[in-house]
Amino acid sequence: MIQDKRLLGGVAGAVLLAAVGGFSVARCTSEAPATSADDAATNEQAAAETPSDTLVMSAAAIKDSGVVTEMISAGGLGAEIVAQAIITPSPTGEAIVTARAGGAVTRVLKRLGDPVRAGEALAVVESRDAAQIAADRTAAGAKATLAQKALARERYLYDQKVSARVDLETAQAEAASAAAEAQRARVAAGAANITSDGRGVILASPISGRVTAMKISLGAYVQPETELFRVADPRQIQIEAAVGASDATRLSAGDKAIIELPDGHTVEARVRAVTPTLSGETRAATAVLDVTNSLLQPGLAVRVRMMPSRGATTSAIVVSEEAVQSVGGRDVVFVRTANGFKATPVTTGQRSAGRIEIASGLPVGTTIATRNAFLLKAELGKGAGEEE
């Protein structure tokens, strides 16, 4: 009987232990799904907290994507004159180098693209004309020396009462004439840039810069006053924009301008002058703009936006048409935020020359995406597709 009770007690304990173990397993099993559900709820809440019209992008990502931003200001289409322009060297920023005498090229000292200093030799041309110029200089100098000696002798004789005054005056005139001839010969030799041995002429650059063109070969015969080199200083440039007759009357010296480069970047400039007459071919005036950016290359075609001081301004904001995108049937612009961009609905107005007025929805001083704004639209649409 006692053994039966002990056996019964052992079985009861085993059953109790199994029950406790089963409860523990059941508890652990029931807690795991609860945790997964909580995580999913948290993710859904985080996704809900991020607005569907917002893009999160770092500054590095924005730069890599090629998106360009710009701070906008009020003014309306009447406050801007949009024109096509070309970057050209200033009148003192480019020089044409020619030979002052004909002859054969004996030395070529500079090549295309080489930097040069003002007065530095580019090539040497051996010329019979140069030899004649050098000989004339030597002969004129000798005559001037002889005339000075004759004048000194006549002055001595006149002081000794031996020679008449008329002889002294004749000697003075001959000395003055010989000195003038010697000066002319020296100037001619200097203008031709004769070599020290008198056998050739030196082709020297009048300005500092780089060789941008050359039409010369070693041993070739060149004619006088023929263009052989072209030197340009990239720091001395100007921008020439073609403007209509009505727009030309609104521009004044000192008006602000913005240069739009092909890569989307902008450079500030100032109107220096506007031609008072129209071109016979284009029937347009030329606005000359000064710019201090030395990275601009002459010959590059750009678009300029000039803000005339006598322009009709309004409270409307003007942006490029590329900055306005259509999202969900609405016109929006992408406003720069601390973490990326936000699609902001706007009301548009008139359009002209690739520019569009923003009638409402965008405050002055806001920074928005202008160039490549369509990439932001695509990224925003991609996020909306993933959510669906």
Side-chain angles (χ1 to χ4, degrees):
M1 181 64 68
I2 295 175
Q3 289 180 351
D4 293 339
K5 289 183 179 180
R6 289 180 179 177
L7 180 61
L8 182 60
V11 172
V15 172
L16 179 60
L17 181 60
V20 173
F23 175 76
S24 300
V25 173
R27 181 179 181 183
C28 294
T29 305
S30 63
E31 286 180 353
T35 303
S36 300
D38 291 343
D39 292 342
T42 302
N43 293 335
E44 292 178 358
Q45 182 179 1
E49 290 177 356
T50 302
S52 59
D53 59 353
T54 300
L55 289 175
V56 178
M57 294 182 67
S58 64
I62 295 173
K63 183 178 179 180
D64 294 340
S65 65
V67 176
V68 179
T69 60
E70 180 182 345
M71 181 178 291
I72 57 177
S73 59
L77 291 175
E80 288 187 352
I81 298 176
V82 182
Q84 299 299 320
I86 188 169
I87 302 173
T88 62
S90 66
T92 59
E94 186 177 43
I96 297 175
V97 181
T98 63
R100 302 302 175 88
V105 180
T106 57
R107 298 180 65 186
V108 178
L109 306 175
K110 292 293 181 180
R111 295 181 296 179
L112 190 66
D114 287 350
V116 297
R117 300 185 305 272
E120 188 175 3
L122 305 177
V124 177
V125 175
E126 193 174 71
S127 171
R128 287 179 295 180
D129 296 337
Q132 184 62 48
I133 294 173
D136 292 344
R137 178 182 58 185
T138 303
K143 290 180 181 179
T145 301
L146 181 61
Q148 288 296 329
K149 290 181 180 180
L151 175 60
R153 182 171 59 254
E154 287 296 333
R155 182 175 289 111
Y156 174 77
L157 294 176
Y158 177 77
D159 293 339
Q160 297 298 321
K161 308 297 184 182
V162 175
S163 177
R165 183 176 182 83
V166 64
D167 295 335
L168 175 62
E169 292 176 350
T170 301
Q172 288 176 339
E174 291 177 352
S177 178
E181 180 63 21
Q183 176 66 15
R184 183 201 64 79
R186 285 193 298 269
V187 171
N193 208 358
I194 302 297
T195 57
S196 58
D197 57 5
R199 297 180 55 183
V201 294
I202 300 174
L203 278 63
S205 173
I207 64 173
S208 298
R210 289 185 177 272
V211 178
T212 58
M214 59 182 300
K215 304 175 183 178
I216 189 172
S217 299
L218 190 64
Y221 186 88
V222 296
Q223 296 291 343
E225 310 305 326
T226 302
E227 178 183 337
L228 301 177
F229 289 92
R230 190 180 290 261
V231 179
D233 186 352
R235 298 170 300 177
Q236 300 186 41
I237 58 176
Q238 64 184 20
I239 298 175
E240 298 180 3
V243 295
S246 58
D247 291 333
T249 59
R250 299 164 53 201
L251 290 171
S252 302
D255 288 347
K256 181 182 177 181
I258 296 177
I259 313 300
E260 297 181 350
L261 302 179
D263 61 358
H265 292 83
T266 59
V267 177
E268 292 187 359
R270 292 285 177 179
V271 176
R272 181 171 60 83
V274 181
T275 56
T277 58
L278 303 180
S279 171
E281 298 179 356
T282 61
R283 309 304 301 170
T286 301
V288 182
L289 284 66
D290 285 336
V291 61
T292 57
N293 192 327
S294 61
L295 299 179
L296 302 182
Q297 297 178 342
L300 182 65
V302 296
R303 191 175 76 161
V304 299
R305 291 187 283 120
M306 293 165 283
M307 290 67 175
S309 55
R310 295 191 290 265
T313 60
T314 65
S315 59
I317 295 171
V318 178
V319 300
S320 63
E321 288 186 344
E322 188 178 2
V324 181
Q325 299 292 322
S326 178
V327 176
R330 299 180 302 173
D331 289 332
V332 302
V333 296
F334 288 90
V335 177
R336 184 74 166 92
T337 63
N339 298 323
F341 293 94
K342 180 180 181 181
T344 302
V346 295
T347 302
T348 59
Q350 300 179 358
R351 301 170 183 253
S352 176
R355 308 286 290 173
I356 183 171
E357 283 188 346
I358 304 298
S360 63
L362 197 62
V364 176
T366 305
T367 300
I368 65 171
T370 53
R371 190 176 179 88
N372 292 332
F374 69 92
L375 297 177
L376 302 178
K377 172 186 174 181
E379 190 68 21
L380 192 65
K382 185 189 303 181
E386 291 176 355
E387 289 179 2
E388 293 177 359

